[in-house]
Amino acid sequence: MREEYLLAALRMGAGTDPVPAGVSADARSAFGLLLPGGVPAGPVDVAVPPGARSADGTAHGTADGTADAGVRRFSAGGLVIDVETSVSGGRMEVAGQVSPAPGPDARVEVRTPHVGKVRVPSGDGHFAVAGLPPGWVSVVCHRPGHPPVFTRWFHVRP
Amino acid sequence: MPTDNSFAIIDQAAWEDLVARYDGRMWAVARAFGLSAADAADAVQGAWLRLVENADAIRDPERIGAWLVTTTRHEAVRLGRSARGEIVSDLDVPDTALPDPTAAVVDADFGRQVWRRLDLLGEPCRSLIRLYVLHPEARYAQIAVRLDLPVGSIGPTRARCMARLRALVEEEAR
């Protein structure tokens, strides 16, 4: 029996710290984030080359795919999605690149649990979204005739 | 693509039933790791998002409850580490096939039984565990002041007391 589970049971038995209503509301609304048939893109443990965020490329990945500069690489369905995040003034910016470039009819959607923003990627697959709340985020690539490819949700600390 | 027995075909009512049954347990687990309310909320939300992204892969709805609690523990560990400034790998994603069966003990009725067991322990175990459970964000230094114990003894004493409590509970379960 894990100690944390024993402590959690004691906490529930005491009834002094019920789950906040907002946490339950977020759990219920997560249903709307399901993408049936979507292809999950898992993190890739290779160094991320510079240039995920911009052509001049100043960010470098680490061996586990999580960069000190906030760059992550995900891959599935023949696509590679590089994502870089930054937080400034309490708002999150998410930028990245889909490789190979997904074409002019593709859309990239950057999702947080409460806000999603859609962008048309540039000719070489770059995209950028600003003004999002920090926290959990996922990037989805929608291509006509293909199931959506979505990155695993990852957490960006404010 | 989802198949007929895929969890992905769940409807909203079934999802909300899952929330009603398990969000309190998930919250309690996240807080048991000493997370702040904000980080505990993120850990619980992270577990639901793991369910969102793994819905097509889950084939055994009966195990979803244990899976949610296990995944909350996993996310709580990760968020606790990142809160301390540690680098946390995105590669460490919970396995949908491996819910922890011992997660079933996270239950209010069982918790009340454990409180009765706790009353069988002497001091300082009873007060220390009570403080530790009811004030998960309390530092050892604060607990030491409250119990008039050396701060260096809190960690070892807590471990010893928890081991005794766990032994009492497991003995009763046999």
Side-chain angles (χ1 to χ4, degrees):
Chain A
M1 185 184 307
R2 288 184 179 276
E3 179 178 308
E4 297 86 6
Y5 292 161
L6 196 56
L7 290 171
L10 281 164
R11 292 181 60 75
M12 291 190 75
T16 54
D17 185 21
V19 57
V23 173
S24 299
D26 285 347
R28 286 191 294 274
S29 65
F31 178 80
L33 297 169
L34 283 167
L35 280 175
V39 178
V44 178
D45 64 343
V46 294
V48 178
R53 184 175 181 183
S54 60
D56 61 0
T58 54
H60 298 265
T62 60
D64 68 359
T66 307
D68 51 1
V71 177
R72 294 169 168 87
R73 170 168 284 186
F74 302 87
S75 180
L79 286 183
V80 172
I81 304 176
D82 289 333
V83 186
E84 183 176 0
T85 58
S86 61
V87 178
S88 177
R91 308 302 287 177
M92 177 172 62
E93 181 180 348
V94 179
Q97 184 175 20
V98 179
S99 306
D105 295 326
R107 298 290 181 269
V108 172
E109 180 184 11
V110 179
R111 310 168 99 195
T112 69
H114 297 291
V115 183
K117 294 191 177 184
V118 177
R119 294 289 183 268
V120 178
S122 68
D124 57 358
H126 281 97
F127 62 88
V129 170
L132 294 169
W136 291 100
V137 61
S138 171
V139 175
V140 188
C141 181
H142 300 273
R143 294 172 295 169
H146 296 272
V149 175
F150 61 91
T151 70
R152 297 283 184 188
W153 288 85
F154 58 93
H155 190 263
V156 177
R157 192 167 279 283
Chain B
M1 296 293 288
T3 56
D4 285 345
N5 64 348
S6 165
F7 180 71
I9 61 173
I10 188 174
D11 61 19
Q12 185 154 6
W15 184 278
E16 292 189 3
D17 181 57
L18 279 177
V19 173
R21 290 171 63 189
Y22 294 109
D23 71 342
R25 302 170 203 226
M26 295 161 72
W27 174 256
V29 167
R31 293 285 276 163
F33 276 88
L35 296 185
S36 67
D39 279 345
D42 276 346
V44 172
Q45 189 171 43
W48 288 108
L49 293 171
R50 295 285 171 239
L51 184 59
V52 164
E53 68 187 28
N54 286 294
D56 282 2
I58 290 177
R59 292 289 180 271
D60 187 355
E62 296 301 313
R63 300 171 74 186
I64 286 178
W67 185 88
L68 283 167
V69 172
T70 305
T71 304
T72 302
R73 176 175 60 79
H74 185 93
E75 295 299 337
V77 169
R78 288 164 53 86
L79 284 163
R81 288 173 55 198
S82 76
R84 293 190 295 272
E86 299 176 29
I87 300 295
V88 180
S89 172
D90 288 332
L91 297 173
D92 188 16
V93 176
D95 188 335
T96 57
L98 296 173
D100 183 348
T102 67
V105 304
V106 184
D107 173 80
D109 287 339
F110 180 74
R112 285 186 280 273
Q113 293 176 32
V114 180
W115 277 111
R116 288 193 285 274
R117 297 285 99 187
L118 178 62
D119 287 339
L120 298 178
L121 295 182
E123 296 293 358
C125 286
R126 196 162 47 200
S127 295
L128 195 159
I129 293 177
R130 180 177 293 275
L131 271 173
Y132 194 70
V133 167
L134 299 180
H135 303 280
E137 295 171 72
R139 305 282 180 201
Y140 279 2
Q142 295 169 294
I143 294 175
V145 169
R146 287 282 296 272
L147 299 182
D148 194 24
L149 292 171
V151 67
S153 73
I154 297 299
T157 304
R158 186 191 68 82
R160 190 175 66 249
C161 292
M162 285 301 298
R164 288 181 57 197
L165 179 61
R166 192 161 49 213
L168 274 175
V169 169
E170 289 173 347
E171 183 181 295
E172 189 177 49
R174 284 196 206 104

